[in-house]
Amino acid sequence: MNILIVEDDLLFNQFYSIFFQSKGVDVVSAYSIAEARDILKSSAQFDAIVLDNQLTDGEGLQLVPPLIGQYPDAAILMVSANDSADFFLQAYASGLDDYAVKPVNVDLLWVKICRAVEVRQLQRVSRQQQAELANWVAQEQQEQALAVHVLANLTQRLQQMPAYIQVKTKPSSSFSGDILLQQQGQDGSQYLLLADSMGHGLAAAISLMPVLEVFQSMSQQSLPLSNIVFELNKKLNRQLPADRFVAALFIRLDPRTLELEVWNGGMPPLLIIDSVQKSILKAESKNMALGILDEQEIDVSVEKFKWTTGSYAVGFTDGLTDTEFVGHGQFSADFLAETWLKQPEEAFQCLEQCIDGLSQTVDDISVFSIHFNQYFQSLLADMKVHDKKDGRLRLDFKTMGSALSQVDAPLKIVQTFSAYGMPKNLTNTLFSVLTELYLNALEHGVLKLDSAIKQAEDGFSNYYLLREQGLLSLTSDDFISLTIDWSMDNNSIHIDVVDSGEGFNYQVMNEQRSTDEFFYGRGINMIYSLCTEVNFKGCGNEVTAVIIG
C-alpha cells in the first residue's frame, strides 16, 4: 500500500510515517498545500491520502478536488481538530472517504484507512465488472439471432412436451439461459430436465449445448438418473470455463413403480403437491450446480417420491421467485404450493396470466407443472388391449469380443419384439430387466469388476475408468449369450443369460441386496420386483428370469 501524508506539523507527520511504515506501507510526506500540488504533478500513485485541514498555506479541503481528479481510486481521510457537525458535512460533501478528530488514535486511523481502501478497491472492481458486462452485452446482442436459431433447431423435438406437462417461459431478452427438455426412455419412463445456465444470452447458450446430446442419448436408453447426472457434470466440468456452471433439476417418472425420482443441483425446490391429501413435499437442492465439482466430489444420489393421481409436481427457475409481480409481490415456493392446493386445476393458468402481465423481467422465467392424473391416463391409453394371439417368438442373441462394447444388445432385442407386436408395457418391462441382466453379465461377469469399488469416496469414477479399460481389452473368448422366449398367448417371457465369466457367489449377493448399506445391488432388486422368477445357476455365470405380462 502507498500512502500520501499531507501534514504541516513535523512531529505529527513523522509520527504517522513511522507508524504506517511499521505496517509495511510506503509513505510519501508533504508539509504544505504547495508541496502536495508538486506531488500531484509527478507520476506517483497512492492507495490512500491522509490530509490535515489546517495547513500553513491554506485549508486541506482545497486539495480534495485535485486529489480526486489525480487519484480517483485513492481513499482520502481528513484529520482535524474541528469536530463540528457542519464541518463534517462539508468535508464529506467534498468527497472524503472518512474523518478522524485530533488528537488521533493511530490504531483507529489505520483501521479506517484499511476499510476505506478496501471499499475503493471493491468500487474499482465493480466498475471494471460493469464495463466488462457492458461490452459483453453489446457483443451478445450482435450474436443472439444466430444462437437462438441454432439452439431452437437443436432443442425443438426435446421441447415438445406431452399433454400432462404444462410449461410457461418468459426470457429476459430475446434469448433465454433456461431450458426445459423432455425425453421418453426405451423402458417407458419419462425424463425431464430444467436447467438454468449462469448468465444470459450467448454465454448461457454455449453452456447448455453440451447438455443436449448427453441428456437425449442417455435418457433415451433409460439409463439411471444418477448416471446421467454424473456424465453431464463430467462433461460440463471439462468443457466449461471455471466461472461457468449450470444449475439443473432432473426428474424421472417410472410408470411401473409410480415413483418420481429427483436430483436437484442449485435449483429452487421441486414442489410435489397432493391436492386430495392436502400435503406438500419439497425436493430441495442438496447439491451444487453442474460443472463445479469434479467426478470424485459430486453426489449423484437421487430422491424418490410416491405420487398419486391427485398430485402435481411444480418446478421453476429462480427467475420466477425473484420477480416482483404487480399487486402480488414476489411468489415464494410456499405461496405457489398453497395456490396449487387451493386451485389445482386453475393454478397454472393464473400463474401464466401473471407472467404474461410482466412488461419485462430481470431474469429468465421458466415454470412447469406435471399433472399426474393426466400422466396416469396417458399410461392407461398406452396399455392398449391386445387380442390374444397363439404364437411364440424365440430369439437367440450372442455378442463376442469387441462387439460387446459396440452393440446395444438389449435395445436391438426389444426393438425386434416390439416390431412383432409385443404390448408396450411388456416391452418396457423387458427392456428394464434385460438391460440390467446384460450390464451385470458384462461388468461383473466378463470384465470381472467388483461393485464394492463404488463404496470408496471416488468409487464411481474409478469403477467406470476400470470399465473403459476392460472394454478395450476384450478378446474373442469373451461373450454374452441371450435367449428370449415370448409366449404370445399369455404374454410370458422367459430369459436366459450366460456369460464367459467365472461366476460369483450369488448366495452372498442375495443377502446383501436386502440391505440399503451398499451403493450397488439396487439393479438386482429391480429385477426381482419386475420378474415372477429369478434364478442364478451353476457358478453364477448364468441366470434365468420369467416375466408375466
Side-chain angles (χ1 to χ4, degrees):
M1 186 186 299
N2 298 318
I3 294 181
L4 170 63
I5 301 173
V6 184
E7 167 65 67
D8 60 349
D9 187 298
L10 178 63
L11 182 60
F12 275 116
N13 200 314
Q14 290 180 346
F15 177 63
Y16 294 151
S17 298
I18 293 172
F19 178 80
F20 293 145
Q21 287 170 351
S22 71
K23 298 294 186 181
V25 172
D26 293 328
V27 177
V28 175
S29 293
Y31 296 89
S32 65
I33 291 177
E35 288 185 25
R37 291 187 184 278
D38 289 338
I39 293 174
L40 283 171
K41 299 175 184 177
S42 70
S43 59
Q45 294 294 318
F46 301 101
D47 300 296
I49 300 166
V50 177
L51 178 63
D52 184 26
N53 188 48
Q54 298 298 327
L55 299 169
T56 54
D57 54 350
E59 290 189 349
L61 283 178
Q62 301 173 12
L63 274 176
V64 174
L67 287 172
I68 292 176
Q70 182 69 18
Y71 311 115
D73 293 325
I76 303 176
L77 292 90
M78 176 161 282
V79 291
S80 176
N82 190 343
D83 61 355
S84 72
D86 290 340
F87 181 73
F88 284 160
L89 293 174
Q90 182 185 3
Y92 282 118
S94 68
L96 291 182
D97 292 85
D98 214 331
Y99 188 97
V101 179
K102 289 184 177 180
V104 176
N105 182 315
V106 289
D107 290 312
L108 178 59
L109 179 61
W110 173 247
V111 171
K112 287 174 174 280
I113 290 173
C114 291
R115 185 183 64 179
V117 168
E118 182 180 4
V119 170
R120 286 286 187 167
Q121 289 174 342
L122 290 173
Q123 289 173 343
R124 182 172 64 251
V125 171
S126 177
R127 288 197 302 272
Q128 291 172 346
Q129 290 176 338
Q130 289 174 357
E132 292 172 0
L133 180 61
N135 292 333
W136 173 77
V137 169
Q139 181 180 1
E140 185 259 353
Q141 289 175 341
Q142 295 176 2
E143 299 178 347
Q144 274 187 353
L146 176 61
V148 170
H149 177 77
V150 171
L151 192 58
N153 285 340
L154 289 173
T155 62
Q156 183 176 10
R157 189 183 65 80
L158 293 175
Q159 291 185 307
Q160 294 175 350
M161 296 294 156
Y164 51 84
I165 301 179
Q166 293 177 285
V167 177
K168 181 62 180 178
T169 62
K170 188 176 184 67
S172 58
S173 62
S174 59
F175 188 84
S176 177
D178 297 348
I179 195 167
L180 181 63
L181 307 174
Q182 70 82 28
Q183 176 69 53
Q184 188 173 59
Q186 181 64 42
D187 67 349
S189 55
Q190 178 68 57
Y191 292 81
L192 198 66
L193 167 61
L194 178 60
D196 184 357
S197 176
M198 177 188 175
H200 303 280
L202 184 61
I206 292 174
S207 300
L208 290 171
M209 285 184 181
V211 173
L212 305 177
E213 181 183 357
V214 174
F215 176 76
Q216 179 180 12
S217 61
M218 296 188 73
S219 58
Q220 197 170 35
Q221 297 176 58
S222 300
L223 294 177
L225 213 55
S226 57
N227 290 29
I228 301 176
V229 173
F230 182 86
E231 189 63 32
L232 266 176
N233 181 72
K234 180 173 70 173
K235 190 164 188 175
L236 290 172
N237 211 328
R238 292 177 179 176
Q239 295 187 0
L240 294 186
D243 62 344
R244 293 286 166 180
F245 55 82
V246 177
L249 174 67
F250 290 86
I251 294 174
R252 177 176 176 268
L253 305 179
D254 191 326
R256 295 172 302 277
T257 62
L258 303 186
E259 284 184 332
L260 173 70
E261 294 182 1
V262 182
W263 187 91
N264 190 340
M267 293 286 285
L270 176 73
L271 306 176
I272 300 129
I273 305 152
D274 191 328
S275 61
V276 177
Q277 299 297 324
K278 303 298 181 183
S279 64
I280 301 170
L281 297 175
K282 293 181 181 179
E284 302 275 3
S285 171
K286 298 180 180 179
N287 309 282
M288 298 188 73
L290 300 174
I292 298 177
L293 301 178
D294 60 27
E295 300 168 28
Q296 289 76 29
E297 296 173 316
I298 188 169
D299 181 4
V300 298
S301 57
V302 301
E303 289 186 273
K304 293 185 178 182
F305 302 87
K306 285 286 187 181
W307 56 265
T308 66
T309 55
S311 298
Y312 296 79
V314 181
F316 46 90
T317 57
D318 57 8
L320 178 65
T321 50
D322 290 344
T323 297
E324 290 283 347
F325 291 87
V326 177
H328 300 284
Q330 291 184 331
F331 290 167
S332 66
D334 290 335
F335 174 81
L336 293 170
E338 290 295 333
T339 301
W340 253 266
L341 278 182
K342 295 175 182 177
Q343 300 175 302
E345 295 294 335
E346 298 83 17
F348 196 87
Q349 184 179 0
C350 292
L351 184 58
E352 278 187 306
Q353 292 173 353
C354 291
I355 295 173
D356 287 334
L358 295 169
S359 58
Q360 60 181 10
T361 61
V362 295
D363 195 5
D364 305 316
I365 295 177
S366 295
V367 57
F368 69 85
S369 172
I370 303 174
H371 193 325
F372 283 106
N373 184 49
Q374 293 182 8
Y375 174 56
F376 185 71
Q377 295 302 321
S378 72
L379 295 179
L380 294 179
D382 287 338
M383 297 177 186
K384 297 177 180 178
V385 179
H386 290 258
D387 293 330
K388 283 194 173 183
K389 302 176 182 178
D390 292 326
R392 189 173 176 180
L393 181 61
R394 175 186 171 115
L395 182 62
D396 295 307
F397 198 102
K398 186 173 184 179
T399 50
M400 298 177 289
S402 61
L404 288 166
S405 63
Q406 299 170 1
V407 178
D408 189 345
L411 179 60
K412 299 295 184 185
I413 292 171
V414 169
Q415 287 175 339
T416 300
F417 280 96
S418 179
Y420 279 89
M422 179 179 283
K424 186 173 181 180
N425 62 320
L426 191 59
T427 303
N428 295 340
T429 304
L430 173 61
F431 182 78
S432 297
V433 172
L434 198 56
T435 297
E436 188 61 38
L437 291 175
Y438 186 82
L439 290 177
N440 191 62
L442 175 63
E443 295 176 359
H444 308 311
V446 176
L447 301 180
K448 302 178 178 64
L449 294 175
D450 188 346
S451 287
I453 297 173
K454 298 178 184 178
Q455 287 186 280
E457 183 177 351
D458 56 351
F460 276 96
S461 58
N462 287 338
Y463 182 87
Y464 287 108
L465 177 61
L466 292 172
R467 185 181 188 277
E468 293 301 315
Q469 293 173 348
L471 292 175
L472 295 175
S473 304
L474 293 170
T475 69
S476 58
D477 293 330
D478 299 314
F479 71 86
I480 297 176
S481 177
L482 303 167
T483 299
I484 298 87
D485 193 341
W486 170 37
S487 295
M488 299 180 183
D489 55 345
N490 62 357
N491 273 332
S492 64
I493 304 175
H494 291 253
I495 303 170
D496 187 77
V497 181
V498 182
D499 65 70
S500 58
E502 299 173 355
F504 72 108
N505 190 334
Y506 48 87
Q507 286 85 1
V508 173
M509 181 273 296
N510 285 332
E511 296 174 4
Q512 291 179 343
R513 74 179 182 83
S514 62
T515 71
D516 293 325
E517 299 177 357
F518 296 89
F519 289 104
Y520 53 92
R522 296 182 177 90
I524 293 296
N525 285 335
M526 181 195 72
I527 293 173
Y528 276 84
S529 68
L530 295 177
C531 299
T532 56
E533 292 181 30
V534 180
N535 295 297
F536 287 88
K537 297 182 177 180
C539 63
N541 69 333
E542 181 177 0
V543 59
T544 61
V546 178
I547 301 171
I548 303 297

